[in-house]
């Protein structure tokens, strides 16, 4: 009985072993057998829109892929490092932003890899890059040509941060209308609608209330008296005037708003005053925040003034050896030398010397005259002695000349001074002439 029991329990296992062997034989399972073959996914096409693109612009990529087995497909876009940025590297439809540092004429390769998990495929396409047009210029403070550093200038995704010079340049634009945007912390946002054809230069002027300062100033004479009706103007970096200016009141006070920070030049210009004349001058002032400044102007003081022929007694017209006295021309209201009417060279001298104050600065003469083939020379008589001459005007034309008196090794301040006017023909024409309409001798303090 126990033996039967053993047989009874082992028989089912034996039957299952035999059945399993039969199944293996039926399906041919062996070391060389396999299941159905897997086919890799196919890349049917890649569409780019647009077909060519400017550096810094977007191109839409659309991948059309299929799998013969109906398997799910994964994909991945790639390109050269730092050549562009994908909106989604794993999406069949994505946007590639091409870096603006590339240049037109190049081609950018884009790779696409696809996989069903068991097998894969890949391909590449080339996208032509076109250069496009360029807009450039400067960003300036309002009413000036003083550049604003570190402004951000953009056209769509194309961005340029202006340098210390305030210059900007944006490349790779398509011809036609576009929007130029400028922003800078502390300044008003600026947006301008422009149109580009074959390149464009465009300067932008923006208000910067948070960056600029108000200058509260006063213009004084050497004796601390305020100078009235004098125009004070901020200059651009190239020395030209800005629109930032103000005119002094009776006390010499002025105020100028929206002055850019930094070292600025202030120019002064006399606008007319019956009591004195303020000489044009420039002053360097450091502007940081709202600033109070004090400028000291130079006031011109007339020592001698001859206009027209109103005071002939102020001149000596007598002959001196071969130097002959000038004539008086009432028609042209001038003192006159003509080589055909005067037998020799011409000489006219101030009748009375003037005293130069010991503290005088910038002693100068100015004249207005018309010459025809002639030479006009200024002579200096210091304390009764003729010591120096220099050319004032030569040849033919209308002359307006101002010159500071600079006699070598002599400081004429504190001395007596008279002026001599010499004239002669250059002998290129039959007759030479000089017609002097105005002469002034002055100093400033």
């Amino acid at each position: 009985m126990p033996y039967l029991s053993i047989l009874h329990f082992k028989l089912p296992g034996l039957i299952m072993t035999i059945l399993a062997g039969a199944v293996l034989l039926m399906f041919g399972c062996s070391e060389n057998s396999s299941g159905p073959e897997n086919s890799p996914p196919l890349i049917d096409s890649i569409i780019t829109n647009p077909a060519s693109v400017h550096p810094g612009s977007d191109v839409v990529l659309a991948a059309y892929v299929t799998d013969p087995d109906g398997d799910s497909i994964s994909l991945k876009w790639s390109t050269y490092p730092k050549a562009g940025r994908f909106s989604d590297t794993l999406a069949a439809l994505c946007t590639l932003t091409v870096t603006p540092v590339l240049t037109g004429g190049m081609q950018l390769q884009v790779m696409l890899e696809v996989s069903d998990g068991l097998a894969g495929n890949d391909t590449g396409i080339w996208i032509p890059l076109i250069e496009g047009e360029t807009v450039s210029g400067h960003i300036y403070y309002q009413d000036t040509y003083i550049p604003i550093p570190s402004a951000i200038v953009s056209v769509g995704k194309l961005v340029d941060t202006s340098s210390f010079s305030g210059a900007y340049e944006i490349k790779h634009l398509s011809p036609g209308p576009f929007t130029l945007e400028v922003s800078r912390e502390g300044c008003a946002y600026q947006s301008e609608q422009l149109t580009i054809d074959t390149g464009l230069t465009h300067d932008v002027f923006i208000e910067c209330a948070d960056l600029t300062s108000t200058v509260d100033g006063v213009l004084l004479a050497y004796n601390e008296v305020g100078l009235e009706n004098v125009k004070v103007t901020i200059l651009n970096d190239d020395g030209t005037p800005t629109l930032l200016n103000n005119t002094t009141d009776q006390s010499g006070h002025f105020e100028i708003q929206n002055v850019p920070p930094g070292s600025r030049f202030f120019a002064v210009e006399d606008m007319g005053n019956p009591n004195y004349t303020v000489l044009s001058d420039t002053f360097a002032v450091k502007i940081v925040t709202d600033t109070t400044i004090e400028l000291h102007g130079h006031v011109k003081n007339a020592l001698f003034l001859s206009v027209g022929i109103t005071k002939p007694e102020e001149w000596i017209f007598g002959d001196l050896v071969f130097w002959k006295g000038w004539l008086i021309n009432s028609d042209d209201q001038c003192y006159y030398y003509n080589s055909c009417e005067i037998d020799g060279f011409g000489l006219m001298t101030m009748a009375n010397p003037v005293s130069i104050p010991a503290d005088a600065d910038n002693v100068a003469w100015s004249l207005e005259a018309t010459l025809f083939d002639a030479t006009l020379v200024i002579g200096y008589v210091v304390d009764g002695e003729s010591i120096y001459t220099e050319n004032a005007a030569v040849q033919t034309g209308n002359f307006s000349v101002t010159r500071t008196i600079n006699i070598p090794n002599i400081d004429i301040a504190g001395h007596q001074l008279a002026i001599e006017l010499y004239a002669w023909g250059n002998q290129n024409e039959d007759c030479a002439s000089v017609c002097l309409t105005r002469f002034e001798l002055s100093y400033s303090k």
Side-chain angles (χ1 to χ4, degrees):
M1 181 64 69
Y3 178 78
L4 291 175
S5 296
I6 293 172
L7 290 175
H8 175 75
F9 285 103
K10 290 186 175 181
L11 183 58
L14 178 61
I15 293 173
M16 291 301 297
T17 301
I18 295 172
L19 290 175
V23 171
L24 291 173
L25 291 171
M26 182 183 299
F27 286 95
C29 182
S30 67
E31 291 181 358
N32 298 321
S33 64
S34 64
E37 290 188 5
N38 177 68
S39 298
L42 303 176
I43 301 174
D44 299 322
S45 64
I46 298 175
I47 304 299
T48 63
N49 185 25
S52 57
V53 65
H54 299 295
S57 299
D58 293 342
V59 56
V60 177
L61 304 172
Y64 294 87
V65 297
T66 56
D67 189 274
D69 304 325
D71 297 333
S72 60
I73 304 172
S74 64
L75 53 81
K76 182 178 181 181
W77 299 98
S78 63
T79 187
Y80 300 117
K82 299 183 180 181
R85 185 181 68 256
F86 296 93
S87 60
D88 187 346
T89 59
L90 305 180
L93 182 65
C94 74
T95 300
L96 170 63
T97 301
V98 181
T99 180
V101 300
L102 300 181
T103 59
M106 301 175 63
Q107 293 198 63
L108 177 60
Q109 186 179 37
V110 175
M111 298 296 299
L112 177 64
E113 301 176 16
V114 296
S115 175
D116 62 3
L118 295 176
N121 220 333
D122 62 74
T123 190
I125 60 169
W126 293 91
I127 301 175
L129 303 181
I130 52 179
E131 186 61 31
E133 303 301 329
T134 298
V135 58
S136 61
H138 289 81
I139 311 300
Y140 294 117
Y141 288 97
Q142 188 71 39
D143 297 328
T144 78
Y145 283 98
I146 299 174
I148 301 175
S150 304
I152 299 175
V153 186
S154 61
V155 177
K157 293 184 178 180
L158 298 172
V159 179
D160 183 18
T161 301
S162 65
S163 64
F164 182 78
S165 66
Y168 76 92
E169 182 180 66
I170 295 182
K171 300 180 178 180
H172 318 308
L173 298 178
S174 298
F178 67 95
T179 301
L180 183 74
E181 297 176 295
V182 181
S183 61
R184 169 64 156 90
E185 184 178 356
C187 303
Y189 168 79
Q190 188 92 345
S191 177
E192 299 186 15
Q193 304 299 314
L194 303 172
T195 299
I196 194 169
D197 182 14
T198 56
L200 178 65
T201 299
H202 181 73
D203 296 329
V204 181
F205 302 85
I206 59 178
E207 296 181 359
C208 299
D210 293 344
L211 295 183
T212 55
S213 302
T214 296
V215 173
D216 185 32
V218 62
L219 178 64
L220 303 174
Y222 64 92
N223 55 2
E224 302 301 316
V225 173
L227 298 175
E228 181 184 2
N229 201 31
V230 179
K231 186 178 181 181
V232 183
T233 303
I234 307 295
L235 300 182
N236 291 306
D237 290 353
D238 62 358
T240 59
T242 70
L243 297 179
L244 306 177
N245 59 71
N246 192 228
T247 301
T248 60
D249 61 17
Q250 292 180 344
S251 64
H253 176 262
F254 64 92
E255 181 181 280
I256 304 177
Q257 298 180 347
N258 301 320
V259 181
S263 295
R264 300 287 158 232
F265 280 99
F266 289 66
V268 297
E269 177 186 3
D270 195 331
M271 303 305 291
N273 190 293
N275 300 320
Y276 49 77
T277 299
V278 179
L279 299 180
S280 297
D281 205 350
T282 57
F283 305 87
V285 179
K286 181 72 173 181
I287 304 300
V288 181
T289 56
D290 289 347
T291 305
T292 300
I293 64 174
E294 184 176 290
L295 306 178
H296 286 82
H298 288 84
V299 177
K300 184 176 75 172
N301 300 273
L303 292 165
F304 177 86
L305 178 61
S306 173
V307 180
I309 56 173
T310 56
K311 297 180 180 180
E313 68 275 7
E314 295 180 339
W315 297 98
I316 298 174
F317 300 98
D319 296 348
L320 182 63
V321 192
F322 60 90
W323 295 100
K324 306 299 180 181
W326 288 32
L327 305 174
I328 297 177
N329 184 338
S330 57
D331 291 336
D332 293 328
Q333 291 292 300
C334 67
Y335 299 117
Y336 186 63
Y337 163 81
N338 188 300
S339 63
C340 290
E341 298 182 35
I342 297 176
D343 185 18
F345 296 164
L347 172 63
M348 184 170 66
T349 306
M350 283 173 52
N352 300 298
V354 295
S355 297
I356 309 298
D359 59 351
D361 185 25
N362 194 44
V363 182
W365 55 260
S366 62
L367 63 81
E368 295 175 8
T370 300
L371 274 64
F372 179 76
D373 190 34
T375 295
L376 177 61
V377 172
I378 297 288
Y380 302 113
V381 181
V382 180
D383 296 334
E385 181 181 357
S386 297
I387 60 172
Y388 191 70
T389 60
E390 61 178 327
N391 282 357
V394 180
Q395 299 300 334
T396 299
N398 296 318
F399 293 86
S400 179
V401 184
T402 297
R403 192 170 300 165
T404 298
I405 298 176
N406 185 13
I407 303 173
N409 303 318
I410 294 181
D411 181 3
I412 62 174
H415 293 269
Q416 297 284 311
L417 175 67
I419 296 296
E420 299 172 322
L421 297 176
Y422 298 88
W424 58 79
N426 295 331
Q427 300 180 346
N428 295 321
E429 302 290 343
D430 292 338
C431 296
S433 64
V434 176
C435 183
L436 179 72
T437 56
R438 186 180 188 279
F439 184 86
E440 181 180 17
L441 187 61
S442 64
Y443 70 96
S444 64
K445 292 180 66 176

